[in-house]
Amino acid sequence: MQLQDILYSQGFGTRRVCAGLVQQGHVQVYVPGEAAAQPCAEAAADFDTDALRFRVQGVDWPYAEKAYLVLNKPTGTECSQKPSTYPSIYTLLPSPLRMRPQKAAVQGVQAVGRLDQDTTGMLLLTDDGKFIHRMSSPRHHVPKVYEVRVKHPLDERQVRKLLDGVVLEDDPKPVRAAACEAVGEFDLRLTLTEGKYHQVKRMVAAVSNRVEGLHRSQIGNLALPANLAPGQWRWLTEADLALIAGK
Ligand code: URA
């Protein structure tokens, strides 16, 4: 693929802007076998994109046909491109990740499902429409683990009810936690395989308690990376994606 098209596909601007970045000497490419990035000022130079890495204005990037990211969502952020009250989580991503050209039905990199503004923790983002569909479909039962701080002391009865199923006001079919344990007097670890609106908060309210703090700690078998501080993101590896899929 031509270097200008590579940059375009990775969100560095219009084709003309990308050609300009290359011609003005802002781009280097990591050629296999060479440790240092090699300058390339020819916009139409051809590169194999397989495992390609390059540098733009001093920042290293991998070539990614599709982007798969994990973000540690901080509190007080909205999972919306057009937030109403709090800053959008998308402001936490560098501009190329927000500017990647639209793929099929997916408008650039998007959060896989949403967390409430006051929920913290693990959020996946991608521009792979099939991945979004797979992760969001109730048929696939991808477990999501939540660490829940509650207002009133927990007892066995509340945990049992959450496991047996509670009825939420918009659906007569009971929803149940796939796993639920009290890990402290006010702390619950709850695993859900679906993602209804405000589901954790509504389930906890249905057992006469109240969520005071909510953090998503795991999706599938992948835990939120311990070294990812609130507000930080990183690329997901193949191994991460396998863990998310339950392998
Ligand atoms: N359940 C909720 O109530 N809120 C979230 O953000 C996620 C799950």
Coordinates of all heavy atoms in Angstrom, one line a residue, residues 72-77 79 89 114-122 146-147 198 200-201 211 213-216:
N72 N -9.3 2.6 30.2 CA -9.8 2.6 31.6 C -10.6 3.9 31.8 O -10.1 5.0 31.9 CB -8.6 2.5 32.5 CG -9.0 2.4 34.0 OD1 -10.2 2.5 34.3 ND2 -8.0 2.3 34.9
K73 N -11.9 3.7 31.7 CA -12.8 4.9 31.7 C -12.8 5.6 33.1 O -13.1 4.9 34.1 CB -14.2 4.5 31.4 CG -15.2 5.6 31.3 CD -16.6 5.2 31.2 CE -17.6 6.3 31.4 NZ -17.6 6.9 32.7
P74 N -12.5 6.9 33.1 CA -12.5 7.6 34.4 C -14.0 8.0 34.7 O -14.8 8.1 33.8 CB -11.6 8.8 34.1 CG -11.5 8.9 32.7 CD -12.0 7.7 32.0
T75 N -14.2 8.3 35.9 CA -15.6 8.8 36.3 C -15.8 10.2 35.7 O -14.8 10.9 35.3 CB -15.7 8.8 37.8 OG1 -17.1 9.1 38.1 CG2 -14.8 9.8 38.5
G76 N -17.0 10.5 35.5 CA -17.3 11.9 35.0 C -17.0 12.0 33.5 O -16.6 13.1 33.0
T77 N -17.2 10.9 32.7 CA -17.0 11.0 31.3 C -18.2 10.2 30.6 O -18.7 9.3 31.2 CB -15.7 10.3 30.8 OG1 -15.6 9.0 31.4 CG2 -14.5 11.1 31.2
C79 N -19.9 8.1 27.4 CA -19.6 7.3 26.2 C -20.4 7.7 25.0 O -21.0 6.9 24.3 CB -19.9 5.8 26.5 SG -18.8 5.1 27.8
I89 N -15.6 10.3 26.3 CA -14.4 9.4 26.4 C -13.6 9.5 25.2 O -12.4 9.3 25.2 CB -14.9 8.0 26.6 CG1 -15.9 7.6 25.5 CG2 -15.4 7.7 28.0 CD1 -15.7 6.2 25.0
R114 N -22.0 0.9 26.3 CA -21.7 2.1 27.0 C -21.7 1.9 28.5 O -22.3 0.9 29.0 CB -22.9 3.1 26.7 CG -22.8 3.6 25.3 CD -23.8 4.7 25.1 NE -23.6 5.3 23.7 CZ -24.1 6.4 23.3 NH1 -24.8 7.2 24.2 NH2 -23.9 6.9 22.1
L115 N -20.9 2.7 29.2 CA -20.9 2.7 30.6 C -21.5 4.1 31.0 O -21.3 5.1 30.3 CB -19.5 2.6 31.2 CG -18.8 1.2 31.0 CD1 -17.4 1.3 31.4 CD2 -19.6 0.1 31.7
D116 N -22.2 4.1 32.2 CA -22.7 5.4 32.7 C -21.6 6.4 33.0 O -20.5 6.0 33.2 CB -23.5 5.1 34.0 CG -24.7 4.2 33.8 OD1 -25.2 4.1 32.6 OD2 -25.1 3.6 34.8
Q117 N -22.0 7.7 33.0 CA -20.9 8.7 33.3 C -20.1 8.4 34.5 O -18.9 8.7 34.6 CB -21.5 10.1 33.2 CG -22.5 10.5 34.3 CD -21.8 10.9 35.6 OE1 -20.6 11.1 35.7 NE2 -22.6 11.0 36.6
D118 N -20.8 7.9 35.6 CA -20.2 7.7 36.9 C -19.6 6.3 37.0 O -19.0 6.0 38.1 CB -21.1 8.0 38.0 CG -22.4 7.3 37.9 OD1 -22.7 6.6 36.9 OD2 -23.2 7.4 38.9
T119 N -19.7 5.4 36.0 CA -19.0 4.1 36.1 C -17.6 4.2 35.6 O -17.3 5.0 34.6 CB -19.8 3.1 35.2 OG1 -21.2 3.1 35.7 CG2 -19.2 1.7 35.2
T120 N -16.7 3.5 36.2 CA -15.3 3.5 35.8 C -14.9 2.1 35.3 O -15.7 1.1 35.4 CB -14.4 3.8 37.0 OG1 -14.6 2.8 38.0 CG2 -14.7 5.2 37.6
G121 N -13.8 2.0 34.7 CA -13.2 0.8 34.3 C -13.2 0.4 32.8 O -13.1 1.3 32.0
M122 N -13.3 -0.9 32.6 CA -12.9 -1.4 31.3 C -13.9 -1.2 30.2 O -15.1 -1.6 30.3 CB -12.8 -2.9 31.5 CG -12.1 -3.6 30.4 SD -11.7 -5.3 31.0 CE -10.9 -6.0 29.5
Y146 N -18.4 -6.8 37.2 CA -18.6 -5.4 37.8 C -18.2 -5.5 39.3 O -18.7 -6.4 40.0 CB -20.0 -4.9 37.7 CG -20.4 -4.7 36.2 CD1 -21.0 -5.6 35.5 CD2 -20.1 -3.4 35.6 CE1 -21.3 -5.4 34.1 CE2 -20.5 -3.2 34.3 CZ -21.0 -4.2 33.6 OH -21.4 -3.9 32.3
E147 N -17.5 -4.5 39.8 CA -17.2 -4.4 41.2 C -18.2 -3.3 41.7 O -18.1 -2.2 41.2 CB -15.8 -3.9 41.5 CG -14.7 -4.8 40.7 CD -14.6 -6.2 41.1 OE1 -15.0 -6.5 42.3 OE2 -14.3 -7.0 40.2
H198 N -28.6 0.6 32.3 CA -28.5 0.7 33.8 C -28.7 -0.6 34.5 O -29.2 -0.7 35.6 CB -29.4 1.7 34.4 CG -29.2 3.2 34.0 ND1 -27.9 3.6 33.7 CD2 -30.0 4.2 33.9 CE1 -28.0 4.9 33.5 NE2 -29.2 5.3 33.5
V200 N -26.9 -3.0 36.1 CA -26.4 -3.3 37.5 C -27.2 -2.4 38.5 O -27.7 -2.9 39.5 CB -24.9 -3.0 37.6 CG1 -24.5 -3.1 39.1 CG2 -24.1 -3.9 36.7
K201 N -27.4 -1.1 38.2 CA -28.0 -0.2 39.2 C -29.5 -0.7 39.4 O -30.0 -0.7 40.5 CB -28.0 1.2 38.7 CG -26.6 1.8 38.7 CD -26.5 3.2 38.1 CE -25.0 3.7 38.1 NZ -24.8 4.8 37.3
V211 N -26.6 1.4 44.3 CA -25.2 1.4 43.9 C -24.6 2.8 44.2 O -25.2 3.8 43.9 CB -25.1 1.2 42.4 CG1 -23.7 1.4 41.9 CG2 -25.6 -0.3 42.0
G213 N -21.1 3.0 43.9 CA -19.9 3.0 43.0 C -19.9 1.8 42.1 O -20.2 0.7 42.6
L214 N -19.5 2.0 40.8 CA -19.5 0.9 39.9 C -18.3 0.9 39.0 O -17.9 2.0 38.4 CB -20.8 1.1 39.0 CG -21.1 -0.1 38.1 CD1 -21.2 -1.4 38.8 CD2 -22.5 0.2 37.4
H215 N -17.6 -0.2 38.9 CA -16.4 -0.3 38.2 C -16.4 -1.6 37.4 O -16.7 -2.7 38.0 CB -15.2 -0.3 39.2 CG -13.9 -0.6 38.6 ND1 -13.1 0.5 38.0 CD2 -13.1 -1.7 38.5 CE1 -12.0 0.0 37.5 NE2 -11.9 -1.3 37.8
R216 N -16.1 -1.6 36.1 CA -16.1 -2.8 35.3 C -14.6 -3.3 35.3 O -13.7 -2.6 34.9 CB -16.6 -2.7 33.9 CG -16.7 -4.0 33.2 CD -17.7 -4.0 32.1 NE -17.3 -3.1 31.0 CZ -18.1 -2.8 30.0 NH1 -19.4 -3.2 30.0 NH2 -17.7 -2.0 29.0

